[in-house]
Amino acid sequence: RATGSMGEVPEGSPQAPLAVLSKVELRVSCKHLLDRDTLNKSDPCVLLLMQSQGQWMEVDRSEVIKSNLNPVFAKIFTVDYYFEEVQKLRFEVYDSHGHAEVGTHDDDFLGGMECTVGQVSSCPLTPGTPAGAVPWLTPLASQIVAQKRVTKPLFLKYGKFAGKSTITVISEEISGNNGYVELAFRAKKLDDKDLFSKSDPFLEIYRIDDDRSEQLVYRTEVVKNNLSPIWEPFKVSLNSLCSCEEKRKLRCVVWDYDSRGKHDFIGEFFTTFEEMQKAMGENKVQWDCMNPKYKLKKRNYKNSGVVVLLDLKIHRVYSFLDYIMGGCQIHFTVAIDFTASNGDPRNSCSLHYINPYQPNEYLKALVAVGEICQDYDSDKKFSALGFGARIPPKYEVSHDFAINFNPDNDECEGIQGVVESYQSCLPKIQLYGPTNVAPIISKVARVAADEERTKEASQYFILLILTDGVVTDMADTREAIVRASYLPMSIIIVGVGNADFTDMQILDGDDGVLRSPKGEPVLRDIVQFVPFREFKNASPTALAKCVLAEVPKQVVEYYSYKAFPPRCPQTRDAPDANLSSPQ
């Protein structure tokens, strides 16, 4: 979903996307679930749904836990937390039959609970509530984010309690350090718990919190009939593993899997992430897997096997703010449409008409976006280009000319310099056509390609294209955008005037993947298109908030793809910056 900045927008104007205040991890467990199976216990699975525009959409689902009425799900749900938005969530628990998609009529509904990210409360369904719905909310002062842990009853259809079934949701805000760790475990000579075959071991890792409660971090797959299993490597966030605290205690438990849910305890050991890090490189770390009962009863007891950490890799995930604080500059280029369809600038009906009392739409869009970008560019110099006009001295059509008429240096001093160059160039040019933007995209892309060769996160390019109509060279433009998606570059297109911009939506990849005429997809979604008329009655910052909302994500995506770290990253616990909040 799009993210942006929190700010007031006048009534009747389009609402700019809200800022993601933070991300929240949700852990789910249930107790006393209904037993729908005749021979075995229920095989529960949890579906997480979120309400969007009045419709419930599935966001994610947990694993299926076999034959267990008190499941603790290993799946961690991650949701964006918006402070200013009521985000309705629904948790639905099903007894999975395995032969169909979970949640179909073939599965038994074990109960549901509806809540919001900010508030959790429930009451019985009112009469006439549609089948399949779960309890609506009454405002109780219980907050997922504030309370951290909320337990609520599960309801069946029409507000009927699902017996004594309860669901517990534990929430945790993801801190600024959003790195993750990749772990690879194996075990040797585990105790054999099976009579006619060998044990079927799996490993669980628990984080021990300050209140001594344990949170399940990860559950490995089961390795069948093997006393020296090698489990598949897995990744977990540092936040989930140890709350980003190296010395936080971890409890690791090895079980022998039982299809009826009665897993046999093999042994356990305690460790910390600090100790685990000794396994980096060629080193390995191992622990005795201990069964406390055996240790007390058996005089010569040594262990119930050994667990070995074969490898550990730490992956740092950088944020937009990391790159900005590391010295990455945002270079801003504006490209202005000077085609004849804008109308004669001397005529008051022209989109380029200079009214001494009221800036035209081109100037409004330019100033709104440029004033934000200039805070991220140390020299405050902007490249300003024009296209679609006949220019002096030969009055030939150009699609990438400098509006200051200096071919060797198209930069202007700040936004005011761009405004002055725009106003002074209008009397000197003849508006013409067609509306070709591929040349300007390619021109900025060549500069970005030179920057890419430095192999540093030093400069990222934003191209703002202001146009009054659908581009004429659509095929070449799509090709240029696909090429640019591999470079440190984003493109913002603002449609000025009242033209039908329907065909321009194809360039904005929100509804699908943009492809070149040959079918090659973009590497990243780098284009944002917005008709200016939707913001005519909004505050000056509303347009900037909307069109710049995706830029921080695009910056991070590019440098992550190239594996370029910030030039001088700084440790901090602050949330990511947003382009529309340069402070």
Side-chain angles (χ1 to χ4, degrees):
R1 56 187 301 166
T3 60
S5 181
M6 294 186 297
E8 294 184 1
V9 178
E11 189 175 345
S13 65
Q15 177 67 53
L18 299 174
V20 178
L21 191 63
S22 61
K23 287 185 179 293
V24 176
E25 291 183 341
L26 305 177
R27 291 175 170 82
V28 181
S29 60
C30 299
K31 284 191 174 180
H32 311 301
L33 291 178
L34 297 175
D35 193 354
R36 300 289 198 186
D37 292 350
T38 306
L39 300 177
N40 293 317
K41 298 175 182 176
S42 295
D43 304 328
C45 173
V46 172
L47 272 61
L48 172 63
L49 299 91
M50 182 173 285
Q51 195 174 73
S52 176
Q53 299 179 340
Q55 299 294 317
W56 286 105
M57 306 293 292
E58 181 182 337
V59 176
D60 211 342
R61 61 178 60 191
S62 75
E63 75 279 15
V64 175
I65 296 183
K66 293 287 187 180
S67 193
N68 196 324
L69 303 182
N70 300 288
V72 178
F73 296 97
K75 171 71 178 180
I76 299 174
F77 298 104
T78 303
V79 297
D80 293 334
Y81 173 45
Y82 296 81
F83 177 72
E84 290 189 352
E85 186 179 274
V86 176
Q87 297 166 264
K88 291 185 178 180
L89 303 179
R90 178 187 286 177
F91 295 90
E92 295 183 351
V93 187
Y94 288 89
D95 174 16
S96 173
H97 293 175
H99 53 76
E101 283 291 309
V102 173
T104 66
H105 64 277
D106 293 319
D107 294 300
D108 294 317
F109 182 54
L110 300 180
M113 186 269 284
E114 192 174 312
C115 62
T116 67
V117 177
Q119 289 183 320
V120 177
S121 55
S122 60
C123 64
L125 284 175
T126 55
T129 304
V134 290
W136 295 106
L137 305 178
T138 54
L140 300 179
S142 53
Q143 294 192 340
I144 277 186
V145 177
Q147 278 201 347
K148 305 294 185 186
R149 182 188 188 101
V150 175
T151 300
K152 293 290 174 183
L154 287 174
F155 289 89
L156 299 173
K157 298 175 183 178
Y158 306 112
K160 182 181 178 182
F161 280 97
K164 296 181 179 179
S165 301
T166 61
I167 185 169
T168 297
V169 181
I170 298 174
S171 72
E172 185 171 19
E173 183 180 348
I174 300 176
S175 67
N177 182 0
N178 197 22
Y180 62 93
V181 59
E182 186 173 352
L183 302 170
F185 283 96
R186 72 160 301 173
K188 296 179 181 178
K189 299 180 179 178
L190 294 175
D191 285 354
D192 193 353
K193 296 291 184 178
D194 294 346
L195 187 60
F196 300 108
S197 63
K198 297 176 182 177
S199 295
D200 306 320
F202 66 95
L203 172 68
E204 290 183 332
I205 300 176
Y206 291 86
R207 183 189 73 213
I208 302 178
D209 288 339
D210 293 337
D211 60 0
R212 297 187 180 179
S213 64
E214 295 185 353
Q215 304 301 330
L216 177 61
V217 174
Y218 192 81
R219 180 184 292 129
T220 70
E221 77 283 5
V222 176
V223 178
K224 291 284 189 178
N225 198 34
N226 196 326
L227 300 181
S228 296
I230 299 176
W231 291 290
E232 290 291 328
F234 59 91
K235 297 175 182 177
V236 293
S237 71
L238 288 172
N239 197 79
S240 295
L241 180 65
C242 60
S243 303
C244 300
E245 297 174 17
E246 292 186 341
K247 297 182 183 297
R248 181 171 292 280
K249 189 172 284 189
L250 306 172
R251 176 173 172 255
C252 304
V253 188
V254 181
W255 300 89
D256 173 28
Y257 175 78
D258 181 88
S259 60
R260 296 167 298 175
K262 297 180 179 179
H263 310 308
D264 293 318
F265 177 75
I266 294 178
E268 66 182 10
F269 62 92
F270 293 86
T271 184
T272 62
F273 180 57
E274 182 179 47
E275 186 178 19
M276 284 183 173
Q277 290 180 74
K278 295 175 184 177
M280 295 179 71
E282 298 297 320
N283 301 318
K284 294 177 177 58
V285 185
Q286 69 177 41
W287 299 268
D288 288 329
C289 189
M290 305 297 292
N291 186 322
K293 291 183 178 179
Y294 290 178
K295 189 176 181 180
L296 288 173
K297 293 180 179 179
K298 297 181 179 181
R299 181 178 299 178
N300 297 322
Y301 176 76
K302 183 180 179 182
N303 58 45
S304 293
V306 174
V307 176
V308 183
L309 179 55
L310 299 172
D311 193 21
L312 179 148
K313 297 174 183 174
I314 300 175
H315 302 267
R316 174 72 196 277
V317 178
Y318 297 105
S319 70
F320 174 66
L321 186 57
D322 286 323
Y323 287 104
I324 294 301
M325 294 177 70
C328 181
Q329 299 290 304
I330 303 294
H331 187 273
F332 180 71
T333 299
V334 61
I336 301 173
D337 182 340
F338 289 110
T339 56
S341 55
N342 285 280
D344 188 336
R346 294 169 294 184
N347 189 317
S348 61
C349 296
S350 170
L351 292 171
H352 281 303
Y353 179 69
I354 302 299
N355 184 334
Y357 305 105
Q358 177 73 29
N360 61 38
E361 290 187 11
Y362 280 97
L363 287 175
K364 285 180 180 178
L366 165 64
V367 172
V369 179
E371 282 189 341
I372 300 298
C373 292
Q374 70 180 357
D375 288 315
Y376 294 90
D377 193 345
S378 59
D379 66 7
K380 311 296 183 194
K381 293 181 179 180
F382 296 155
S383 295
L385 306 172
F387 60 93
R390 286 174 167 173
I391 62 171
K394 296 183 180 181
Y395 286 92
E396 294 175 338
V397 176
S398 174
H399 296 291
D400 60 351
F401 65 92
I403 65 173
N404 64 2
F405 294 107
N406 183 348
D408 298 322
N409 183 8
D410 57 23
E411 291 188 328
C412 302
E413 292 288 342
I415 289 298
Q416 188 57 37
V418 177
V419 172
E420 292 171 359
S421 294
Y422 164 72
Q423 292 174 334
S424 64
C425 89
L426 279 171
K428 302 174 184 177
I429 63 174
Q430 180 184 352
L431 275 58
Y432 204 70
T435 309
N436 292 351
V437 300
I440 276 182
I441 295 174
S442 298
K443 183 172 186 171
V444 176
R446 286 193 293 271
V447 182
D450 291 337
E451 179 62 31
E452 182 191 34
R453 295 187 187 101
T454 65
K455 299 190 181 299
E456 280 192 334
S458 55
Q459 200 163 38
Y460 192 89
F461 295 80
I462 295 178
L463 171 59
L464 171 64
I465 299 175
L466 306 174
T467 180
D468 80 321
V470 176
V471 299
T472 309
D473 59 340
M474 185 63 78
D476 290 343
T477 297
R478 286 163 51 199
E479 181 71 34
I481 290 171
V482 170
R483 301 278 78 78
S485 70
Y486 288 82
L487 299 170
M489 181 174 169
S490 293
I491 301 170
I492 298 166
I493 305 175
V494 177
V496 177
N498 296 314
D500 182 0
F501 292 111
T502 304
D503 290 345
M504 295 290 279
Q505 300 292 346
I506 191 176
L507 301 178
D508 191 330
D510 289 348
D511 296 326
V513 178
L514 175 68
R515 296 179 181 272
S516 72
K518 297 178 182 178
E520 181 184 355
V522 289
L523 175 69
R524 305 176 294 125
D525 179 11
I526 64 169
V527 177
Q528 176 86 339
F529 172 76
V530 175
F532 182 82
R533 58 175 172 259
E534 294 183 2
F535 293 84
K536 264 189 174 180
N537 300 319
S539 65
T541 58
L543 173 67
K545 288 176 180 178
C546 181
V547 299
L548 294 174
E550 296 182 12
V551 170
K553 181 184 73 171
Q554 292 168 356
V555 171
V556 171
E557 282 177 348
Y558 171 74
Y559 289 124
S560 297
Y561 163 73
K562 300 297 291 187
F564 291 171
R567 292 194 293 176
C568 48
Q570 300 181 19
T571 302
R572 63 181 216 301
D573 291 322
D576 289 358
N578 188 291
L579 257 184
S580 58
S581 304
Q583 296 87 338

